[in-house]
Amino acid sequence: MDVRTAFFALLLVVLGAIATLMIAPLLQYVMAAALLAFVLYPAYERLEPRLGSKMAALALTLLAVVGAVVPLLLVSLIVLQTVASFLGDIDGASLVERSREIARDEFGLEAEQIQALESAVLAEIDSSLSNAAEIALLELLSLVNTSIEMGLGLIVFVFLLYYLLADGETFVAWLREVAPLETEVREELFAEINVVTWAVIKSHVLVAIVEGVLGGLGLYLLGVPNVAFWTIIMVVVAFLPAVGVWLVWAPAVGYLAMTSGPVPAVALFLYGVTVLSIVDNYLRAIFVDRDSGLHPAVVIVGVIGGIYLLGIMGLFLGPVLLAVFKAGLNVFSRHDFTTAAAESTHPTETPDKLDGETASSPTD
């Protein structure tokens, strides 16, 4: 390697490191936009002949923004309503009186001792209020900072989604051109990634929505309160295969047993182990085992690891990234790159070279 080649390679490494540092804070938004563009691209291909490239991309981007913002607002309203309802049901006077009864009946404390204990608790609360204002201010500043970062990330997400739809073909063509792979390997890799990505999206998102809605329907029919809130929770936990919605309906069985009697509790238990378990096992098997072959344990690692790395976006992106990695390993295992690299490093002698050697030999 000569000096110019080494300098150019070093320059590329430096620029690549700078680009990585710039993209890293926005990584989850960039990857989310790429995944959503991948999902919406079939719809874009249908709309593009009718509306044109720019209008079709703009329409789908607006649809995606509305489809993301409206459910987020609904979820926020449901959570706030549930918290407000819970706080409204708390009777402070009854709670204090109940605490006094427990202290008197269960622990045998005298009235003077109870009053002294209340005074000590109130004094401790008063001393903690001075630190509470400082903590609240720090949390407020952190919330403002997080909101600004999220707002900037969402702006990047929206613009990137639009341009990936409008100029996606150009971007994919550039990737095909710069990828240092043979044509056969490159096309096989792209096809494998397409298959496993769709398989994980179907098994990951569709199964979670179906399970959450069916679980919420069961809770509603059996009289569990705050059904909308628990339905959202079940949709979220349903992203975890083999763990899933039983984290919600199993405690609900105990709640019904204590409040409504054994019949509703047994009915919910049977509903969970039959309907919800069948949906989880069979739908995941259909979408995962037949298409991607991504084991449920890998999906769990992808979900939890994705949340650690990418935040809430990791629910969707984690398993997809592991599926793409597996697709790359599958393609790599089917091709002998070592032999190809050896042949490219030590090419066989060509007839022209042999002719040149013969021509340079001494003549009479």
Side-chain angles (χ1 to χ4, degrees), residues 249-301:
W249 68 258
V253 170
Y255 170 81
L256 289 176
M258 292 185 296
T259 59
S260 302
V263 175
V266 172
L268 181 59
F269 176 79
L270 294 176
Y271 183 78
V273 297
T274 55
V275 176
L276 299 182
S277 296
I278 288 174
V279 168
D280 182 76
N281 294 331
Y282 282 91
L283 281 185
R284 289 191 195 276
I286 290 173
F287 291 131
V288 179
D289 294 341
R290 293 185 181 179
D291 293 329
S292 69
L294 201 62
H295 195 274
V298 179
V299 177
I300 292 178
V301 173

Short mmCIF file of all heavy atoms in Angstrom, two decimals, residues 249-301:
data_model
loop_
_atom_site.label_atom_id
_atom_site.label_comp_id
_atom_site.label_asym_id
_atom_site.label_seq_id
_atom_site.Cartn_x
_atom_site.Cartn_y
_atom_site.Cartn_z
N TRP A 249 -53.04 -11.18 32.74
CA TRP A 249 -54.26 -11.92 33.05
C TRP A 249 -54.11 -12.87 34.24
O TRP A 249 -55.10 -13.18 34.92
CB TRP A 249 -54.79 -12.66 31.82
CG TRP A 249 -53.99 -13.81 31.29
CD1 TRP A 249 -53.19 -13.80 30.20
CD2 TRP A 249 -53.96 -15.15 31.79
NE1 TRP A 249 -52.63 -15.03 29.99
CE2 TRP A 249 -53.10 -15.89 30.96
CE3 TRP A 249 -54.57 -15.80 32.87
CZ2 TRP A 249 -52.82 -17.23 31.16
CZ3 TRP A 249 -54.29 -17.14 33.07
CH2 TRP A 249 -53.43 -17.84 32.23
N ALA A 250 -52.89 -13.32 34.55
CA ALA A 250 -52.71 -14.18 35.71
C ALA A 250 -53.00 -13.43 37.02
O ALA A 250 -53.75 -13.92 37.87
CB ALA A 250 -51.31 -14.79 35.72
N PRO A 251 -52.44 -12.22 37.24
CA PRO A 251 -52.87 -11.47 38.44
C PRO A 251 -54.34 -11.10 38.41
O PRO A 251 -54.98 -11.00 39.48
CB PRO A 251 -51.98 -10.21 38.39
CG PRO A 251 -50.80 -10.61 37.59
CD PRO A 251 -51.31 -11.56 36.57
N ALA A 252 -54.90 -10.89 37.19
CA ALA A 252 -56.33 -10.57 37.11
C ALA A 252 -57.18 -11.74 37.59
O ALA A 252 -58.28 -11.53 38.14
CB ALA A 252 -56.70 -10.19 35.68
N VAL A 253 -56.69 -12.97 37.41
CA VAL A 253 -57.41 -14.14 37.93
C VAL A 253 -57.50 -14.05 39.45
O VAL A 253 -58.57 -14.28 40.06
CB VAL A 253 -56.72 -15.44 37.48
CG1 VAL A 253 -57.30 -16.64 38.22
CG2 VAL A 253 -56.86 -15.62 35.98
N GLY A 254 -56.40 -13.72 40.10
CA GLY A 254 -56.41 -13.57 41.56
C GLY A 254 -57.31 -12.43 42.00
O GLY A 254 -58.01 -12.55 43.02
N TYR A 255 -57.30 -11.32 41.23
CA TYR A 255 -58.17 -10.20 41.57
C TYR A 255 -59.64 -10.59 41.51
O TYR A 255 -60.43 -10.28 42.41
CB TYR A 255 -57.88 -9.04 40.63
CG TYR A 255 -58.86 -7.90 40.74
CD1 TYR A 255 -58.75 -6.95 41.74
CD2 TYR A 255 -59.93 -7.79 39.83
CE1 TYR A 255 -59.67 -5.91 41.85
CE2 TYR A 255 -60.84 -6.76 39.93
CZ TYR A 255 -60.71 -5.82 40.94
OH TYR A 255 -61.62 -4.80 41.04
N LEU A 256 -60.02 -11.30 40.44
CA LEU A 256 -61.42 -11.74 40.31
C LEU A 256 -61.79 -12.74 41.40
O LEU A 256 -62.93 -12.74 41.89
CB LEU A 256 -61.65 -12.34 38.93
CG LEU A 256 -61.64 -11.37 37.75
CD1 LEU A 256 -61.78 -12.12 36.43
CD2 LEU A 256 -62.75 -10.34 37.90
N ALA A 257 -60.85 -13.60 41.78
CA ALA A 257 -61.14 -14.57 42.83
C ALA A 257 -61.42 -13.89 44.16
O ALA A 257 -62.26 -14.35 44.94
CB ALA A 257 -59.96 -15.54 42.98
N MET A 258 -60.75 -12.75 44.43
CA MET A 258 -60.95 -12.05 45.70
C MET A 258 -62.17 -11.14 45.66
O MET A 258 -62.79 -10.90 46.70
CB MET A 258 -59.70 -11.24 46.05
CG MET A 258 -58.48 -12.08 46.40
SD MET A 258 -57.08 -11.08 46.94
CE MET A 258 -56.73 -10.15 45.46
N THR A 259 -62.52 -10.61 44.50
CA THR A 259 -63.59 -9.61 44.43
C THR A 259 -64.90 -10.15 43.88
O THR A 259 -65.97 -9.71 44.32
CB THR A 259 -63.14 -8.42 43.56
OG1 THR A 259 -62.82 -8.89 42.24
CG2 THR A 259 -61.93 -7.73 44.17
N SER A 260 -64.83 -11.07 42.92
CA SER A 260 -66.06 -11.53 42.25
C SER A 260 -66.37 -12.99 42.47
O SER A 260 -67.39 -13.48 41.98
CB SER A 260 -65.95 -11.26 40.73
OG SER A 260 -65.74 -9.89 40.48
N GLY A 261 -65.49 -13.72 43.11
CA GLY A 261 -65.76 -15.13 43.36
C GLY A 261 -64.99 -16.04 42.43
O GLY A 261 -64.32 -15.60 41.50
N PRO A 262 -65.11 -17.35 42.65
CA PRO A 262 -64.31 -18.30 41.88
C PRO A 262 -64.74 -18.47 40.42
O PRO A 262 -63.92 -18.80 39.57
CB PRO A 262 -64.48 -19.62 42.65
CG PRO A 262 -65.79 -19.46 43.35
CD PRO A 262 -65.92 -18.02 43.68
N VAL A 263 -66.02 -18.27 40.11
CA VAL A 263 -66.50 -18.54 38.75
C VAL A 263 -65.84 -17.61 37.73
O VAL A 263 -65.27 -18.08 36.72
CB VAL A 263 -68.04 -18.44 38.69
CG1 VAL A 263 -68.51 -18.61 37.23
CG2 VAL A 263 -68.68 -19.51 39.56
N PRO A 264 -65.87 -16.27 37.88
CA PRO A 264 -65.16 -15.41 36.92
C PRO A 264 -63.66 -15.68 36.87
O PRO A 264 -63.05 -15.60 35.80
CB PRO A 264 -65.46 -14.00 37.42
CG PRO A 264 -66.67 -14.12 38.25
CD PRO A 264 -66.59 -15.46 38.89
N ALA A 265 -63.08 -16.01 38.02
CA ALA A 265 -61.64 -16.27 38.04
C ALA A 265 -61.31 -17.52 37.23
O ALA A 265 -60.35 -17.52 36.44
CB ALA A 265 -61.16 -16.44 39.48
N VAL A 266 -62.08 -18.58 37.41
CA VAL A 266 -61.85 -19.81 36.63
C VAL A 266 -62.10 -19.56 35.15
O VAL A 266 -61.37 -20.06 34.28
CB VAL A 266 -62.76 -20.95 37.16
CG1 VAL A 266 -62.68 -22.17 36.24
CG2 VAL A 266 -62.35 -21.32 38.57
N ALA A 267 -63.13 -18.75 34.82
CA ALA A 267 -63.42 -18.45 33.43
C ALA A 267 -62.26 -17.71 32.77
O ALA A 267 -61.85 -18.03 31.64
CB ALA A 267 -64.70 -17.63 33.32
N LEU A 268 -61.68 -16.73 33.47
CA LEU A 268 -60.54 -16.00 32.92
C LEU A 268 -59.31 -16.90 32.80
O LEU A 268 -58.55 -16.81 31.83
CB LEU A 268 -60.22 -14.79 33.79
CG LEU A 268 -59.05 -13.91 33.31
CD1 LEU A 268 -59.32 -13.38 31.91
CD2 LEU A 268 -58.82 -12.75 34.28
N PHE A 269 -59.13 -17.78 33.77
CA PHE A 269 -58.00 -18.70 33.71
C PHE A 269 -58.11 -19.61 32.48
O PHE A 269 -57.13 -19.80 31.74
CB PHE A 269 -57.94 -19.54 34.99
CG PHE A 269 -56.87 -20.60 34.97
CD1 PHE A 269 -55.55 -20.26 35.21
CD2 PHE A 269 -57.20 -21.92 34.71
CE1 PHE A 269 -54.56 -21.24 35.19
CE2 PHE A 269 -56.23 -22.90 34.69
CZ PHE A 269 -54.90 -22.56 34.93
N LEU A 270 -59.29 -20.18 32.26
CA LEU A 270 -59.49 -21.05 31.09
C LEU A 270 -59.33 -20.26 29.79
O LEU A 270 -58.78 -20.77 28.81
CB LEU A 270 -60.86 -21.71 31.17
CG LEU A 270 -61.07 -22.69 32.32
CD1 LEU A 270 -62.51 -23.21 32.32
CD2 LEU A 270 -60.08 -23.85 32.23
N TYR A 271 -59.81 -19.03 29.77
CA TYR A 271 -59.67 -18.18 28.59
C TYR A 271 -58.20 -17.90 28.29
O TYR A 271 -57.77 -17.90 27.14
CB TYR A 271 -60.43 -16.87 28.82
CG TYR A 271 -60.42 -15.93 27.66
CD1 TYR A 271 -61.25 -16.12 26.56
CD2 TYR A 271 -59.59 -14.81 27.66
CE1 TYR A 271 -61.25 -15.24 25.49
CE2 TYR A 271 -59.57 -13.91 26.60
CZ TYR A 271 -60.41 -14.14 25.51
OH TYR A 271 -60.40 -13.27 24.46
N GLY A 272 -57.42 -17.67 29.34
CA GLY A 272 -56.01 -17.37 29.14
C GLY A 272 -55.22 -18.57 28.65
O GLY A 272 -54.40 -18.45 27.73
N VAL A 273 -55.44 -19.75 29.26
CA VAL A 273 -54.63 -20.92 28.89
C VAL A 273 -55.10 -21.55 27.58
O VAL A 273 -54.38 -22.38 27.02
CB VAL A 273 -54.66 -21.98 30.01
CG1 VAL A 273 -54.05 -21.43 31.27
CG2 VAL A 273 -56.08 -22.48 30.25
N THR A 274 -56.28 -21.19 27.10
CA THR A 274 -56.75 -21.74 25.82
C THR A 274 -56.60 -20.71 24.70
O THR A 274 -55.71 -20.82 23.85
CB THR A 274 -58.21 -22.21 25.95
OG1 THR A 274 -59.02 -21.12 26.42
CG2 THR A 274 -58.32 -23.37 26.91
N VAL A 275 -57.44 -19.70 24.71
CA VAL A 275 -57.48 -18.74 23.60
C VAL A 275 -56.16 -17.98 23.47
O VAL A 275 -55.53 -17.97 22.41
CB VAL A 275 -58.66 -17.77 23.78
CG1 VAL A 275 -58.64 -16.72 22.67
CG2 VAL A 275 -59.97 -18.53 23.76
N LEU A 276 -55.74 -17.32 24.55
CA LEU A 276 -54.54 -16.47 24.46
C LEU A 276 -53.28 -17.29 24.23
O LEU A 276 -52.41 -16.89 23.45
CB LEU A 276 -54.40 -15.64 25.74
CG LEU A 276 -55.56 -14.67 26.02
CD1 LEU A 276 -55.30 -13.88 27.28
CD2 LEU A 276 -55.80 -13.74 24.85
N SER A 277 -53.17 -18.45 24.88
CA SER A 277 -51.98 -19.29 24.67
C SER A 277 -51.94 -19.85 23.26
O SER A 277 -50.87 -19.94 22.63
CB SER A 277 -51.96 -20.42 25.69
OG SER A 277 -51.84 -19.91 27.01
N ILE A 278 -53.09 -20.24 22.73
CA ILE A 278 -53.13 -20.77 21.36
C ILE A 278 -52.73 -19.69 20.36
O ILE A 278 -51.96 -19.94 19.43
CB ILE A 278 -54.54 -21.32 21.04
CG1 ILE A 278 -54.78 -22.62 21.82
CG2 ILE A 278 -54.71 -21.56 19.55
CD1 ILE A 278 -56.18 -23.16 21.68
N VAL A 279 -53.26 -18.47 20.56
CA VAL A 279 -52.90 -17.38 19.66
C VAL A 279 -51.39 -17.13 19.70
O VAL A 279 -50.74 -16.98 18.66
CB VAL A 279 -53.67 -16.10 20.05
CG1 VAL A 279 -53.10 -14.88 19.32
CG2 VAL A 279 -55.14 -16.25 19.72
N ASP A 280 -50.82 -17.11 20.89
CA ASP A 280 -49.38 -16.85 21.03
C ASP A 280 -48.55 -17.96 20.37
O ASP A 280 -47.65 -17.69 19.58
CB ASP A 280 -49.02 -16.72 22.50
CG ASP A 280 -47.55 -16.40 22.70
OD1 ASP A 280 -47.17 -15.24 22.48
OD2 ASP A 280 -46.79 -17.32 23.06
N ASN A 281 -48.87 -19.20 20.69
CA ASN A 281 -48.05 -20.31 20.20
C ASN A 281 -48.18 -20.50 18.69
O ASN A 281 -47.17 -20.63 17.98
CB ASN A 281 -48.43 -21.60 20.93
CG ASN A 281 -48.07 -21.54 22.40
OD1 ASN A 281 -47.14 -20.87 22.79
ND2 ASN A 281 -48.84 -22.24 23.22
N TYR A 282 -49.41 -20.51 18.18
CA TYR A 282 -49.61 -20.87 16.78
C TYR A 282 -49.30 -19.72 15.83
O TYR A 282 -48.70 -19.93 14.78
CB TYR A 282 -51.04 -21.39 16.56
CG TYR A 282 -51.21 -22.80 17.03
CD1 TYR A 282 -51.63 -23.07 18.33
CD2 TYR A 282 -50.91 -23.87 16.20
CE1 TYR A 282 -51.77 -24.37 18.79
CE2 TYR A 282 -51.06 -25.18 16.65
CZ TYR A 282 -51.49 -25.43 17.94
OH TYR A 282 -51.60 -26.71 18.39
N LEU A 283 -49.70 -18.51 16.18
CA LEU A 283 -49.40 -17.40 15.29
C LEU A 283 -47.89 -17.15 15.21
O LEU A 283 -47.35 -16.91 14.13
CB LEU A 283 -50.11 -16.13 15.76
CG LEU A 283 -51.59 -16.01 15.41
CD1 LEU A 283 -52.13 -14.66 15.84
CD2 LEU A 283 -51.81 -16.20 13.91
N ARG A 284 -47.22 -17.21 16.34
CA ARG A 284 -45.76 -17.03 16.30
C ARG A 284 -45.10 -18.15 15.51
O ARG A 284 -44.14 -17.92 14.76
CB ARG A 284 -45.19 -16.97 17.71
CG ARG A 284 -45.54 -15.72 18.47
CD ARG A 284 -44.73 -15.61 19.75
NE ARG A 284 -45.29 -14.62 20.64
CZ ARG A 284 -45.03 -13.32 20.58
NH1 ARG A 284 -44.22 -12.87 19.65
NH2 ARG A 284 -45.59 -12.49 21.44
N ALA A 285 -45.59 -19.37 15.67
CA ALA A 285 -45.01 -20.49 14.92
C ALA A 285 -45.21 -20.31 13.42
O ALA A 285 -44.32 -20.57 12.61
CB ALA A 285 -45.64 -21.80 15.38
N ILE A 286 -46.39 -19.82 13.03
CA ILE A 286 -46.67 -19.63 11.60
C ILE A 286 -45.76 -18.58 11.00
O ILE A 286 -45.14 -18.78 9.95
CB ILE A 286 -48.15 -19.24 11.40
CG1 ILE A 286 -49.05 -20.44 11.71
CG2 ILE A 286 -48.39 -18.76 9.98
CD1 ILE A 286 -50.52 -20.11 11.70
N PHE A 287 -45.63 -17.44 11.67
CA PHE A 287 -44.88 -16.33 11.09
C PHE A 287 -43.38 -16.46 11.28
O PHE A 287 -42.60 -16.02 10.43
CB PHE A 287 -45.35 -15.01 11.70
CG PHE A 287 -46.73 -14.62 11.28
CD1 PHE A 287 -47.67 -14.23 12.22
CD2 PHE A 287 -47.10 -14.66 9.96
CE1 PHE A 287 -48.94 -13.87 11.83
CE2 PHE A 287 -48.37 -14.31 9.56
CZ PHE A 287 -49.30 -13.91 10.49
N VAL A 288 -42.94 -17.04 12.41
CA VAL A 288 -41.51 -17.09 12.69
C VAL A 288 -40.89 -18.35 12.12
O VAL A 288 -39.96 -18.32 11.33
CB VAL A 288 -41.24 -17.00 14.21
CG1 VAL A 288 -39.77 -17.08 14.50
CG2 VAL A 288 -41.80 -15.69 14.75
N ASP A 289 -41.40 -19.52 12.52
CA ASP A 289 -40.76 -20.77 12.16
C ASP A 289 -40.79 -21.03 10.66
O ASP A 289 -39.85 -21.57 10.10
CB ASP A 289 -41.45 -21.93 12.89
CG ASP A 289 -41.24 -21.84 14.40
OD1 ASP A 289 -40.31 -21.14 14.80
OD2 ASP A 289 -42.01 -22.46 15.15
N ARG A 290 -41.86 -20.62 9.99
CA ARG A 290 -41.95 -20.92 8.56
C ARG A 290 -41.16 -19.93 7.72
O ARG A 290 -40.77 -20.25 6.61
CB ARG A 290 -43.42 -20.89 8.13
CG ARG A 290 -44.25 -22.01 8.72
CD ARG A 290 -45.65 -21.99 8.16
NE ARG A 290 -46.48 -23.05 8.75
CZ ARG A 290 -47.77 -23.24 8.44
NH1 ARG A 290 -48.36 -22.45 7.57
NH2 ARG A 290 -48.45 -24.21 9.04
N ASP A 291 -40.95 -18.73 8.20
CA ASP A 291 -40.30 -17.71 7.39
C ASP A 291 -38.88 -17.41 7.85
O ASP A 291 -37.93 -17.57 7.11
CB ASP A 291 -41.12 -16.42 7.39
CG ASP A 291 -42.45 -16.61 6.66
OD1 ASP A 291 -42.49 -17.41 5.72
OD2 ASP A 291 -43.44 -15.97 7.05
N SER A 292 -38.73 -16.97 9.10
CA SER A 292 -37.42 -16.50 9.53
C SER A 292 -36.66 -17.53 10.35
O SER A 292 -35.44 -17.49 10.39
CB SER A 292 -37.58 -15.23 10.37
OG SER A 292 -38.19 -15.54 11.60
N GLY A 293 -37.37 -18.43 11.04
CA GLY A 293 -36.68 -19.38 11.89
C GLY A 293 -36.05 -18.74 13.10
O GLY A 293 -35.14 -19.31 13.70
N LEU A 294 -36.49 -17.56 13.50
CA LEU A 294 -35.91 -16.86 14.64
C LEU A 294 -36.49 -17.43 15.92
O LEU A 294 -37.70 -17.36 16.15
CB LEU A 294 -36.21 -15.36 14.54
CG LEU A 294 -35.30 -14.42 15.34
CD1 LEU A 294 -33.87 -14.53 14.84
CD2 LEU A 294 -35.79 -12.99 15.21
N HIS A 295 -35.65 -18.01 16.74
CA HIS A 295 -36.11 -18.69 17.95
C HIS A 295 -36.70 -17.67 18.94
O HIS A 295 -36.24 -16.53 19.01
CB HIS A 295 -34.92 -19.41 18.60
CG HIS A 295 -35.33 -20.41 19.64
ND1 HIS A 295 -35.56 -20.05 20.95
CD2 HIS A 295 -35.57 -21.74 19.55
CE1 HIS A 295 -35.90 -21.12 21.64
NE2 HIS A 295 -35.93 -22.15 20.82
N PRO A 296 -37.74 -18.08 19.70
CA PRO A 296 -38.32 -17.15 20.69
C PRO A 296 -37.31 -16.59 21.67
O PRO A 296 -37.43 -15.45 22.12
CB PRO A 296 -39.38 -18.00 21.39
CG PRO A 296 -39.77 -19.03 20.37
CD PRO A 296 -38.52 -19.32 19.59
N ALA A 297 -36.31 -17.40 22.05
CA ALA A 297 -35.29 -16.89 22.97
C ALA A 297 -34.52 -15.73 22.35
O ALA A 297 -34.17 -14.76 23.02
CB ALA A 297 -34.33 -18.02 23.36
N VAL A 298 -34.26 -15.82 21.04
CA VAL A 298 -33.56 -14.74 20.35
C VAL A 298 -34.43 -13.50 20.30
O VAL A 298 -33.95 -12.37 20.44
CB VAL A 298 -33.16 -15.19 18.93
CG1 VAL A 298 -32.45 -14.08 18.19
CG2 VAL A 298 -32.28 -16.43 19.00
N VAL A 299 -35.74 -13.70 20.12
CA VAL A 299 -36.66 -12.56 20.09
C VAL A 299 -36.67 -11.85 21.45
O VAL A 299 -36.66 -10.62 21.52
CB VAL A 299 -38.08 -13.02 19.71
CG1 VAL A 299 -39.05 -11.85 19.77
CG2 VAL A 299 -38.08 -13.63 18.32
N ILE A 300 -36.69 -12.63 22.54
CA ILE A 300 -36.67 -12.02 23.87
C ILE A 300 -35.39 -11.20 24.08
O ILE A 300 -35.42 -10.07 24.57
CB ILE A 300 -36.80 -13.11 24.96
CG1 ILE A 300 -38.19 -13.73 24.90
CG2 ILE A 300 -36.55 -12.53 26.34
CD1 ILE A 300 -38.39 -14.85 25.90
N VAL A 301 -34.26 -11.78 23.68
CA VAL A 301 -32.99 -11.05 23.80
C VAL A 301 -33.03 -9.79 22.95
O VAL A 301 -32.58 -8.71 23.37
CB VAL A 301 -31.82 -11.95 23.38
CG1 VAL A 301 -30.53 -11.16 23.32
CG2 VAL A 301 -31.67 -13.11 24.36
#
